[in-house]
Amino acid sequence: MEKIPILRMGPFLLVTIQVDLYDRLALNLEEDLIETVSKTGAKGVLIDISVVSIVDSFMGRIIGNIASMSKILDAETVVVGMQPAVAITLIELGLPLTGVHTALNVERGMILLKSKVNLDEFDADQEEAEGDDYGFN
């Protein structure tokens, strides 16, 4: 089964989507990402969709779901690299992506995530969890 890699960068998770998503792959990404946020205590999720050329209403809903679930787990979500045609499509479909922060590229997205997250709190959580095995590699 095809999977989208989820990389951990300190308190953040980075997802770079390198293929057009079909429904099953998107659902797997949603599930894997939420499980990883929960296991790692990540404070932010950055999703790079710069290669994605088509976002339909299902994909828009999946991105919104990821942001909503991550927020419940105390993590912010930033989507970066959105192509203009994708932005136009999302607006025409009436999908405002509530709860999703956007930035032009990965660099600006990381700056935005850092501004949204209290990293001192993450450091304290990590010290408390030190020695715990999350089973995350």
Side-chain angles (χ1 to χ4, degrees):
M1 177 178 6
E2 192 175 7
K3 284 190 156 236
I4 304 226
I6 300 170
L7 306 174
R8 185 173 181 181
M9 293 176 41
F12 305 122
L13 299 176
L14 175 62
V15 177
T16 301
I17 300 171
Q18 296 292 315
V19 296
D20 280 327
L21 292 174
Y22 52 88
D23 292 355
R24 185 73 244 163
L25 185 59
L27 288 169
N28 288 344
L29 173 63
E30 178 185 87
E31 184 178 326
D32 292 346
L33 194 49
I34 296 308
E35 280 184 26
T36 306
V37 168
S38 177
K39 286 180 183 175
T40 64
K43 294 296 182 186
V45 176
L46 189 138
I47 303 172
D48 178 11
I49 62 168
S50 58
V51 177
V52 176
S53 59
I54 298 171
V55 173
D56 59 12
S57 60
F58 181 78
M59 288 307 309
R61 193 179 64 190
I62 292 291
I63 292 171
N65 288 349
I66 289 171
S68 296
M69 289 185 248
S70 295
K71 186 69 177 173
I72 290 171
L73 295 173
D74 195 26
E76 298 289 337
T77 301
V78 175
V79 173
V80 301
M82 188 178 300
Q83 296 181 21
V86 171
I88 291 167
T89 301
L90 288 172
I91 294 302
E92 287 178 350
L93 291 172
L95 297 170
L97 297 181
T98 305
V100 178
H101 305 287
T102 58
L104 287 178
N105 55 43
V106 172
E107 184 176 3
R108 289 185 180 186
M110 291 304 292
I111 292 169
L112 181 59
L113 265 182
K114 288 177 183 174
S115 73
K116 299 275 181 202
V117 173
N118 181 356
L119 293 178
D120 293 336
E121 184 178 297
F122 177 78
D123 291 339
D125 290 346
Q126 289 298 42
E127 286 178 20
E128 189 174 293
E130 198 168 290
D132 289 349
D133 182 11
Y134 292 113
F136 182 77
N137 297 320

